Amino acid sequence: MNTSPRITPLRTAAPRRAPSRPLVDRFGRVHTDLRVSLTDRCNLRCTYCMPAEGLAWLARAEVLTDDEVVRLVRIAVERLGVRSVRLTGGEPLLRRGLVGLVARLAALDVELSLTTNGIGLARTAAGLREAGLGRVNVSLDTLRPERFAAITRRDRLADVLAGLAAAKAAGLGPVKVNAVPVRGVNDDELVDLVEFAAGHGYRMRFIESMPLDAQGAWDRSAMVSAAEILAVLGERFDLVPVGRDGNAPAEEWRIAGTDAVVGVIASVTRPFCGGCDRVRLTADGQLRTCLFATEESDLRALLRGGADDAAIEAAWRVALAGKGPGHAIGSAEFVRPERPMSAIGG
């Protein structure tokens, strides 16, 4: 069965050039944050993300080359007003030549960050920082080795902890730790994770689980909501609201009397679509205007078809003009995207 999303035909006629003219959708949202997936491959098999046997990975020829990634990011920065770029996967540390690619992207004078599972970070953190990477987000759902192995189907907790330490030592800060609480799996570790992060100078963030697993097994009843997370943390900590940093997805609280900050990304129960400033580029060059988009725009075809920068800029703007108001999870209008999170890029 073909599970590829429908590709939207693109108009390539370029408008009059206006350098760094904001990338605005029909709701007036200005998009300055670009998420770039460098690979769909991952070296973990997290139960809430993909099956034990993994997925059918993209063929190498389908994945954007370094030159293609740099060109698209340059167009986004110079012509569309993008100011921050997050490198994602799959697992971006699996990308060959990553340090060199980071150096080329950093030269575009953009705020550059990376989301990783932390495996391999211990040996790459210093090089990535030297190349120009600003900070990292590291996924860590549990502090218990046997539970980590059960969730990820890999016994690699020690590698993740070493990667976190290396990232901090290299100056990739603030180092953010991302956890997805799942009822009956790791929801008894919320306080432990916060204390761990605070004790090491990391920023803890909890993310509501979302219907983006490859198996299609997401169950809302297993999702631990933002309200539940805050209720549990409130029994142990005095949480002082900090709010949201601009259009950032996380609402934040400071633990009173400390510098420790806890964030909660409540995509399901407290959607922040009205302030969304993000657009996504998949590893195979498809532009997605929303994490839950059901349509994609093929920028790779333009790149490989000889389109100039103005045509690619125009196509990007056409795609954003069609962005919807929100993902509508929980409503009758919600349509689950066919691509899983690992193929989209977080």
Side-chain angles (χ1 to χ4, degrees), residues 42 44-47 49-57 152-154 214-215:
C42 188
L44 296 181
R45 298 291 182 270
C46 296
T47 54
C49 185
M50 67 175 69
E53 64 274 15
L55 300 169
W57 309 125
T152 68
R153 302 185 176 101
R154 300 289 188 272
Q215 310 94 300

Side-chain angles (χ1 to χ4, degrees), residues 6-335:
R6 180 161 60 91
I7 304 300
T8 305
L10 294 171
R11 292 189 290 108
T12 59
R16 181 177 297 180
R17 175 70 189 277
S20 294
R21 182 162 58 90
L23 185 59
V24 184
D25 66 15
R26 59 196 170 106
F27 300 97
R29 296 172 295 197
V30 179
H31 295 73
T32 59
D33 186 345
L34 173 63
R35 309 293 172 93
V36 180
S37 174
L38 298 180
T39 179
D40 62 328
R41 298 172 184 264
C42 188
N43 44 11
L44 296 181
R45 298 291 182 270
C46 296
T47 54
Y48 56 79
C49 185
M50 67 175 69
E53 64 274 15
L55 300 169
W57 309 125
L58 291 168
R60 184 176 299 276
E62 297 180 79
V63 177
L64 294 178
T65 66
D66 286 3
D67 287 346
E68 289 171 334
V69 170
V70 172
R71 185 181 174 199
L72 286 176
V73 173
R74 177 181 57 76
I75 291 170
V77 172
E78 294 179 355
R79 291 173 169 262
L80 301 170
V82 164
R83 297 194 297 269
S84 62
V85 173
R86 172 84 60 81
L87 303 177
T88 70
E91 173 45 51
L93 295 185
L94 295 179
R95 174 89 178 206
R96 292 182 180 179
L98 177 61
V99 171
L101 178 57
V102 165
R104 294 178 65 183
L105 295 175
L108 299 175
D109 192 25
V110 66
E111 180 184 325
L112 198 59
S113 60
L114 180 144
T115 295
T116 173
N117 62 29
I119 296 174
L121 190 56
R123 66 175 181 273
T124 57
L128 289 170
R129 182 69 184 97
E130 186 176 352
L133 188 69
R135 61 178 182 81
V136 294
N137 290 13
V138 180
S139 299
L140 179 64
D141 295 315
T142 177
L143 298 169
R144 303 178 188 179
E146 70 286 351
R147 183 175 285 179
F148 184 94
I151 292 173
T152 68
R153 302 185 176 101
R154 300 289 188 272
D155 186 12
R156 305 296 296 273
L157 177 59
D159 295 310
V160 178
L161 297 179
L164 281 165
K168 182 181 178 183
L172 290 170
V175 176
K176 296 181 180 180
V177 178
N178 294 342
V180 178
V182 177
R183 198 176 313 284
V185 176
N186 63 339
D187 56 330
D188 57 343
E189 288 190 73
L190 301 180
V191 169
D192 292 344
L193 284 164
V194 171
E195 290 180 337
F196 163 78
H200 288 82
Y202 310 142
R203 289 192 182 182
M204 191 68 224
R205 305 199 312 177
F206 295 103
I207 305 173
E208 289 181 343
S209 66
M210 294 175 280
L212 287 169
D213 59 304
Q215 310 94 300
W218 181 79
D219 181 356
R220 182 162 182 157
S221 67
M223 181 195 76
V224 182
S225 69
E228 292 175 281
I229 292 167
L230 293 170
V232 170
L233 297 182
E235 293 178 358
R236 173 64 178 82
F237 309 106
D238 182 6
L239 299 177
V240 180
V242 175
R244 202 184 296 276
D245 182 10
N247 292 327
E251 294 180 77
E252 294 186 325
W253 288 261
R254 182 174 55 81
I255 298 176
T258 76
D259 294 327
V261 175
V262 179
V264 178
I265 299 177
S267 300
V268 177
T269 64
R270 300 182 186 181
F272 38 88
C273 303
C276 180
D277 65 350
R278 288 167 295 288
V279 63
R280 289 174 166 80
L281 185 66
T282 66
D284 55 345
Q286 307 304 308
L287 182 67
R288 298 179 65 89
T289 60
C290 174
L291 184 61
F292 295 92
T294 56
E295 297 181 357
E296 297 178 340
S297 300
D298 194 350
L299 298 187
R300 184 186 65 190
L302 291 178
L303 285 171
R304 297 181 180 179
D308 63 14
D309 288 0
I312 294 173
E313 173 192 357
W316 209 308
R317 293 189 186 278
V318 168
L320 261 292
K323 182 171 181 174
H327 55 58
I329 294 177
S331 75
E333 289 76 31
F334 178 69
V335 177

